[in-house]
Amino acid sequence: MSKQHALVGQEAIEVKGWVGAHRFLLLRRASQFGFLLLFLLGPWFGIWIVKGTLAGSMTLDVLPLTDPLVLLQSLVAGYWPSLTALLGGGIVLATYALIGGRMYCSWVCPINPVTDAANWLHRKLGLPKGWQPKRNTRLWMLAGILIVSGITGTIAWEVVNPVTMLHRGLLFGMGFTWALVIAIFLLDTFVSRHGWCGHLCPVGAFYGAIGSKSLMRVSASARSACDDCMDCYAVCPENQVISPALKGKPGSSQLILAPDCTNCGRCIDVCAQDVFHFTHRFDERVAEPSDKTLAPESQTA
Amino acid sequence: MPAAGSPLSTERRRFLTETARAAGACAIAGSALAYLARDARALPAEALRPPGALPEDQFTSACIRCGLCVRDCPYDTLELADLGADGPATGTPFFTARNVPCEMCDDIPCVAACPTGALDPGLTNIDDAKMGVAVLVDQENCLNFQGLRCDVCYRVCPVIDEAISLEPLHNTRSGHHALFIPTVHADRCTGCGMCEKSCVLPEAAIKVLPARLARAEAADHYRKGWEEKDANGAPLVDGLIDLPDRLPGPGTDNLAAPGGFEPVFQLPEVAQ
């Protein structure tokens, strides 16, 4: 995609420094590691702040959280869960509906570092895109797992779900989950660019759907400053979301409103022109190319 | 990029083709997943579910595999099934009695921890738990069956004398001792596995099995004559002559018993 560039993001590093050009990447890794550490503090050090796994947890013995997709499968399978689980699911649902469903993917999900590493290697090796199923394949997967849950009367996806399995594996013991993780790494490295998170994962599809009207958005508010370096397209795991905002007709919204956007903030990092920044979905302000005041630290996670 | 002249039909064709492809792929992947999900419902006999677990077919629709029951188990009895390494559906809680049995906590913390009700909060008295049923599976190796006074399974039972009792039986080997037979009473057995854990043999002679394997089921239409008679307060058929029962012992017409005599009535010889 960026044949003219020796390195994607090189220009941003020169302008903003390495840390400045990796700000959201570093924050994201800190967030992913932090969430994992919260869960690991108990079994490793006996500090029980959070118990359980991403499928269901209890924080400080008061805050229940439940994965709403697991709950939905349970409901489809014909079981009505207890109030604690429903409450936990409601809290998670409301949170992601507000901040952007796929924030889960890029800031929490333990598979994300795996697929990011795979994509990093994929880019280093200069491999072709490979197998690219349609982006909506994951919606079919989502429908599929719900249908199978209904038919078999089980929470079907949890039999193979690499997201909860890796998390549970790190906390309770891996078994053969490593094989699953390696399979996804190989898929994303050699078989299909952004294959898992970008095309197949039904968990991402579900979170994308619940956050489709979320408040927190990335805006290409300084899109007139874009110098067509294409670095944002190169790093974005869902780069089909960029064009409508960045290259839209004059007068069109410069907000990235597509539910596929994971709010990872890499586009903000790699843009030497500071075209992008985090804001809310009603912020239609257009920044002047040189206006640096509109790249505020509105990031909250 | 619709072809000139027939933009609609081309788009429609593409839409239909893509939908069919996606639906086909979805059906294949879904079938594989359904196979795995059905397969995961087969629970191995040695894996016992925590107290209050719903029946297995409901359990796999209710358990979200969060591990909160495992965390709140004070004796580290429970574990989550590892992918490919343990038998039960991946991530679901179970215990193996021979490794760590259930200590039957009065406050049942595992049930309290369950957010979904897969472990039924209706279980408030741990003595009512039904994790499985102990079965003395090997009479040939059980020490008590050989006339020894091992009694360990009986002694460690948290519901001693109710879930397991010792029933005396004549010891025909020595002729003048008793066998004390460990006898499980399934209606009181919680399936905690203390007996199996404590069995002194290298491989336990008493094992906790899931109820589906351990229990027979009486047919609904069976009626026990003596119970029906008691309920009726009188013989069920009028005018029955109650003949004396033939009992062993001296003075009866049973040659096999010491002091028995030849029956008065002889069965007629049957011509060969």
Side-chain angles (χ1 to χ4, degrees), chain A residues 173-196:
Chain A
M174 286 299 266
F176 280 86
T177 306
W178 284 118
L180 213 62
V181 174
I182 290 167
I184 288 178
F185 182 85
L186 294 176
L187 173 83
D188 270 32
T189 309
F190 299 108
V191 182
S192 173
R193 182 185 295 169
H194 295 304
W196 182 254

Side-chain angles (χ1 to χ4, degrees), chain A residues 112-132:
Chain A
N112 179 272
V114 176
T115 55
D116 272 1
N119 187 253
W120 177 84
L121 185 62
H122 176 93
R123 271 189 280 127
K124 283 280 170 213
L125 296 174
L127 294 170
K129 274 182 174 179
W131 179 55
Q132 295 287 287

